[in-house]
Amino acid sequence: MAVGKAGERKLLTGKCIIVGVTGGIAAYKSAELVRGLVKEGADVHVIMTAAAQEFITPLTLQTLSRNPVITDMFAPPSRWEVEHVALADRADLLVIAPATANIIGKIAAGIADDMLTTTVMAMTGPVLLAPAMNVHMYENPVVQRNLRLLQELGYHIVEPEEGPLACGYSGKGRMAPVEKIIARCREILTGGDLQGLSLLITAGPTREYIDPVRFISNPSSGRMGYALAERAAQRGAEVILVTGPVALAPPAGVKVVQVESALEMQAAVEEYFPAVQAVIMAAAVGDYRPAVKEEKKIKKEKDEVVLRLVKNPDILAGLGEKKGDKVLVGFAAETHQLAEYARRKLREKKADLIVANDITNPGSGFGTLTNAVRLFYADGREEELPLMKKEDVAEVILDRVLELLKSRKVG
Ligand code: CTP
């Protein structure tokens, strides 16, 4: 989805959104959020907890939302006792920003003791949480458990970002930028631009076993593939993620198929290939495997061991041979002659797009959170992206896959 670009159209016209504000220092940012949602055409109703009012005044949010701000369950007019149900019924979305550890814990525990929590309880539509807190609070296993639980129950979460925090610490806990929260609201309410699409994404390294306890592998973290899978699912796609062993949590709403070797990855990819419209091969597939996998652990009896390796099948090239009108995307990690090798991969694997990165660049490649990539298209076009977070690179790749699929339909 074109984040930002879509903002030029009023995509939220006719949508009723409740903005819940809780008591964190990021509460001042809720003013921007309310303003942004109103600008997009939404009918915004604000509910503030008592603590939130210590940080920002109801008057500010009332002025910006152009609706009365609800602050207390028992204050007159007493019709508010039923109002929370009426508002919850009417709302297309409830977004809590900032969401403190306290409100997250209360929702996870099913507590409904004020206007906001009772409204959450009465909501049948989607609820989006934008957590914001001190890094140690955010990392606290109880908070993490609560967030996992809520995600499993279908709550949407827009993760906090890393950076300097108001408490003086630096780390993950800063509320996601307002534009990002609005983009998520749009995605939730407009169904996502990848709805109806099935994508097959591979991620992580492969393990080529030498004996039962030793293998050849590479340092791929799986982050790029997982970011692609997570974002594609958020944008409404049906996603099958075939993944080598990584230390990442499975993205919500994604079908995950765990594999180890290149041959296992190939088998899984071949199995799901007929059911998808596009494949993104972000996995770092081992090019070679030991010719023989010893059944028993090799004992250190000899002074020298010779390991014979044989070539693994090229999974992407195999798909290229029978692609039909499917879109195929490959990755190329290079240390030199990037453009030349990327174009060769494009040709040899019959891919539509190769995402190439120079792994000698700081901030790019294995194990990093960011990536600076160049995109090479089968029709000869080229596109260079700046250094971006892997999640943002993922969004652009998905945008391009969608464009390629659309142009195919038209052409
Ligand atoms: N790939 C694959 N099957 C393999 C090897 C790679 O499908 N056996 C895919 C990767 O997932 C990636 C792209 O092909 O999308 C990478 O191409 P590859 O030629 O393997 O790149 P390198 O490993 O960097 O190859 P080389 O050593 O030739 O540069």
Side-chain angles (χ1 to χ4, degrees):
M1 191 202 56
V3 179
K5 264 189 254 163
E8 288 150 24
R9 286 179 284 148
K10 285 199 169 189
L11 283 180
L12 300 178
T13 303
K15 301 287 183 194
C16 175
I17 300 179
I18 304 173
V19 174
V21 185
T22 65
I25 190 73
Y28 75 94
K29 293 185 190 163
S30 61
E32 277 299 315
L33 175 65
V34 169
R35 206 165 68 104
L37 292 172
V38 168
K39 218 169 125 198
E40 289 259 17
D43 176 25
V44 178
H45 295 262
V46 178
I47 302 178
M48 300 177 77
T49 62
Q53 293 166 61
E54 302 290 330
F55 291 90
I56 180 168
T57 68
L59 184 62
T60 305
L61 297 179
Q62 180 167 315
T63 311
L64 292 170
S65 69
R66 301 170 197 160
N67 278 315
V69 168
I70 302 165
T71 52
D72 194 318
M73 240 195 340
F74 302 109
S78 59
R79 67 182 170 86
W80 282 352
E81 279 173 57
V82 287
E83 175 78 346
H84 69 274
V85 178
L87 194 55
D89 277 349
R90 213 164 76 226
D92 297 293
L93 171 70
L94 192 162
V95 43
I96 304 183
T100 55
N102 184 48
I103 189 91
I104 291 165
K106 276 165 106 177
I107 300 170
I111 294 170
D113 65 351
D114 61 8
M115 194 60 202
L116 183 56
T117 45
T118 46
T119 308
V120 172
M121 201 64 94
M123 271 300 282
T124 53
V127 178
L128 172 65
L129 305 172
M133 63 197 77
N134 159 275
V135 55
H136 299 309
M137 291 173 80
Y138 182 70
E139 285 170 357
N140 186 300
V142 178
V143 172
Q144 286 302 314
R145 180 206 57 193
N146 289 342
L147 285 169
R148 262 197 315 277
L149 173 69
L150 291 175
Q151 203 157 21
E152 277 165 24
L153 291 171
Y155 285 77
H156 300 265
I157 290 157
V158 53
E159 277 194 37
E161 301 212 326
E162 295 199 19
L165 303 172
C167 53
Y169 282 93
S170 187
K172 198 165 181 178
R174 200 159 64 172
M175 189 168 85
V178 165
E179 315 84 68
K180 209 167 185 174
I181 300 174
I182 294 176
R184 280 296 292 278
C185 292
R186 264 196 241 120
E187 275 166 27
I188 294 168
L189 289 169
T190 57
D193 58 348
L194 301 185
Q195 237 176 16
L197 270 189
S198 298
L199 295 182
L200 175 56
I201 297 171
T202 64
T206 59
R207 283 180 181 176
E208 308 302 331
Y209 277 89
I210 300 167
D211 71 9
V213 292
R214 302 179 179 97
F215 53 79
I216 302 171
S217 193
N218 62 65
S220 166
S221 65
R223 278 201 192 99
M224 193 63 241
Y226 275 59
L228 280 159
E230 185 187 75
R231 294 299 155 117
Q234 281 169 6
R235 289 167 63 168
E238 204 176 292
V239 183
I240 300 145
L241 176 66
V242 176
T243 174
V246 296
L248 298 172
V254 167
K255 178 179 172 62
V256 178
V257 181
Q258 309 265 6
V259 296
E260 285 198 276
S261 66
L263 289 176
E264 284 171 21
M265 183 170 280
Q266 184 190 33
V269 166
E270 298 278 342
E271 182 185 339
Y272 291 102
F273 185 61
V276 300
Q277 282 98 48
V279 181
I280 309 178
M281 286 286 307
V285 186
D287 289 327
Y288 293 91
R289 66 178 185 278
V292 179
K293 181 191 162 188
E294 298 295 338
E295 290 294 313
K296 295 202 179 102
K297 186 181 166 197
I298 300 169
K299 301 302 286 180
K300 53 176 180 302
E301 282 154 358
K302 299 181 200 156
D303 285 340
E304 202 173 286
V305 174
V306 176
L307 193 60
R308 201 163 65 84
L309 302 179
V310 292
K311 209 165 193 180
N312 270 327
D314 191 312
I315 304 172
L316 184 56
L319 302 179
E321 290 306 323
K322 52 175 179 188
K323 62 189 272 192
D325 58 0
K326 295 187 203 292
V327 165
L328 297 185
V329 181
F331 277 73
E334 308 293 349
T335 54
H336 58 288
Q337 288 168 274
L338 179 130
E340 196 183 316
Y341 284 128
R343 282 205 201 93
R344 186 188 298 174
K345 280 174 194 168
L346 199 55
R347 253 191 339 267
E348 289 178 354
K349 296 173 193 253
K350 296 198 171 69
D352 299 278
L353 170 63
I354 288 284
V355 182
N357 66 318
D358 180 345
I359 49 175
T360 62
N361 268 353
S364 281
F366 288 127
T368 57
L369 297 173
T370 53
N371 218 350
V373 301
R374 275 167 76 182
L375 308 180
F376 295 86
Y377 297 87
D379 64 4
R381 277 180 303 133
E382 236 188 87
E383 189 180 0
E384 186 158 0
L385 302 180
L387 185 68
M388 297 199 243
K389 281 200 277 179
K390 285 186 173 169
E391 287 77 12
D392 297 330
V393 176
E395 297 280 10
V396 177
I397 294 170
L398 293 169
D399 285 347
R400 300 303 177 260
V401 168
L402 189 60
E403 283 162 22
L404 286 167
L405 282 166
K406 279 185 182 158
S407 68
R408 195 145 299 185
K409 268 187 200 130
V410 176

